Amino acid sequence: MEEESSSTSIEVDFDIKFKMMLIGDSDVGKTSLLKKYCDNEFSQSYISTIGIDFQIKNITIDNKKLQIQIWDTTGQERYQVLAKNYFNSSDGFVIVYDITKRESFDNVNNWIEQIYEMAPNYAKSILFGNKNDLKEHRKVKVSEGKTLAKKYNIKFFETSAKDGINIKEGFESLIREILGDIASIKSARKETISLRDKKHKKKEKEEKKEPCC
């Protein structure tokens, strides 16, 4: 049984909480995907995300109440440094390209490299080929998306935020993958927090040792 709700305020009545990020080039439809999944809304006139934004999705899967922060990042290069600051605390990544823009597909490799460099080792990913409703303008074959996803051992969905194609299925495929590994994720989180605490304490001790001028 699955129940869903969306909210911009944080609620505390949940069993598990985790964070996901939408990443990819500008204008591939990341904001539209987020709005469709969280609010079941679609608009042709969304303004490109400046910096980073997020929504909260509350959902019940297998009798577990989940609260998911889904972060929408800009693909604009001048804001990518800001967006990258969120990579190291994300549990899952939705990598998005536009099937009508070849360059956005070619850049998927770069986005995945950034995940490898900055995200936790336990983070899960999924690949979305968005704007499936514009098939007549297609520049990327379905088979190419599948081949690329297979290369990185991740799942692949062609989606349409406009028509609602594979939105729920795609997001919840990633959510279930995260849930399936939640025990090791929690353990890895604790180790990461512990390591950060040790580094912070070490830095404090070193600062205290420095002679006063």
Side-chain angles (χ1 to χ4, degrees):
M1 180 180 179
E2 301 178 5
E3 298 176 0
E4 302 179 18
S5 67
S6 180
S7 173
T8 55
S9 62
I10 296 178
E11 299 176 7
V12 296
D13 185 19
F14 56 87
D15 298 312
I16 301 170
K17 175 182 176 181
F18 55 83
K19 185 165 85 174
M20 293 162 47
M21 289 184 69
L22 285 154
I23 61 174
D25 286 5
S26 292
D27 301 322
V28 295
K30 298 186 296 295
T31 300
S32 295
L33 288 166
L34 178 62
K35 291 291 184 183
K36 189 68 174 182
Y37 180 56
C38 290
D39 302 325
N40 197 28
E41 295 178 356
F42 176 80
S43 172
Q44 297 278 12
S45 58
Y46 286 128
I47 300 172
S48 294
T49 301
I50 298 176
I52 191 163
D53 196 6
F54 79 97
Q55 281 193 241
I56 290 175
K57 180 76 170 180
N58 298 317
I59 184 171
T60 300
I61 294 181
D62 298 334
N63 295 319
K64 290 184 175 65
K65 293 182 180 180
L66 313 177
Q67 186 178 85
I68 308 164
Q69 292 183 14
I70 307 177
W71 293 80
D72 177 18
T73 64
T74 180
Q76 298 176 37
E77 188 173 351
R78 57 180 169 169
Y79 294 112
Q80 284 181 21
V81 173
L82 173 63
K84 288 174 184 178
N85 292 331
Y86 294 82
F87 274 59
N88 63 7
S89 60
S90 292
D91 303 301
F93 292 86
V94 180
I95 308 149
V96 186
Y97 69 88
D98 179 347
I99 69 167
T100 71
K101 294 180 179 178
R102 183 78 201 185
E103 185 179 3
S104 71
F105 175 75
D106 293 338
N107 286 337
V108 166
N109 290 293
N110 297 330
W111 289 105
I112 292 178
E113 285 301 317
Q114 291 181 33
I115 293 173
Y116 285 167
E117 290 174 9
M118 293 177 288
N121 291 332
Y122 56 77
K124 310 297 182 184
S125 299
I126 196 167
L127 180 62
F128 282 6
N130 196 34
K131 303 189 182 181
N132 177 266
D133 52 288
L134 299 175
K135 291 179 180 178
E136 66 273 19
H137 302 295
R138 178 189 292 277
K139 296 293 189 296
V140 183
K141 297 177 181 177
V142 177
S143 60
E144 290 179 286
K146 289 180 177 179
T147 299
L148 184 59
K150 186 176 181 180
K151 172 184 175 181
Y152 292 106
N153 195 29
I154 59 178
K155 292 182 179 179
F156 168 72
F157 288 85
E158 275 212 351
T159 59
S160 168
K162 181 180 180 180
D163 294 341
I165 297 171
N166 283 333
I167 307 299
K168 184 173 184 290
E169 293 84 353
F171 273 101
E172 293 184 7
S173 175
L174 179 58
I175 290 168
R176 288 183 181 279
E177 192 171 353
I178 293 170
L179 281 177
D181 202 27
I182 198 66
S184 60
I185 288 174
K186 287 181 177 179
S187 175
R189 279 177 181 168
K190 288 179 182 178
E191 289 178 5
T192 301
I193 292 171
S194 176
L195 183 60
R196 286 175 183 166
D197 287 343
K198 287 178 180 178
K199 287 181 178 179
H200 181 68
K201 289 177 181 178
K202 182 179 179 181
K203 184 178 179 181
E204 285 184 336
K205 287 180 180 180
E206 290 174 349
E207 289 174 349
K208 287 179 181 178
K209 289 179 181 179
E210 291 180 2
C212 181
C213 52

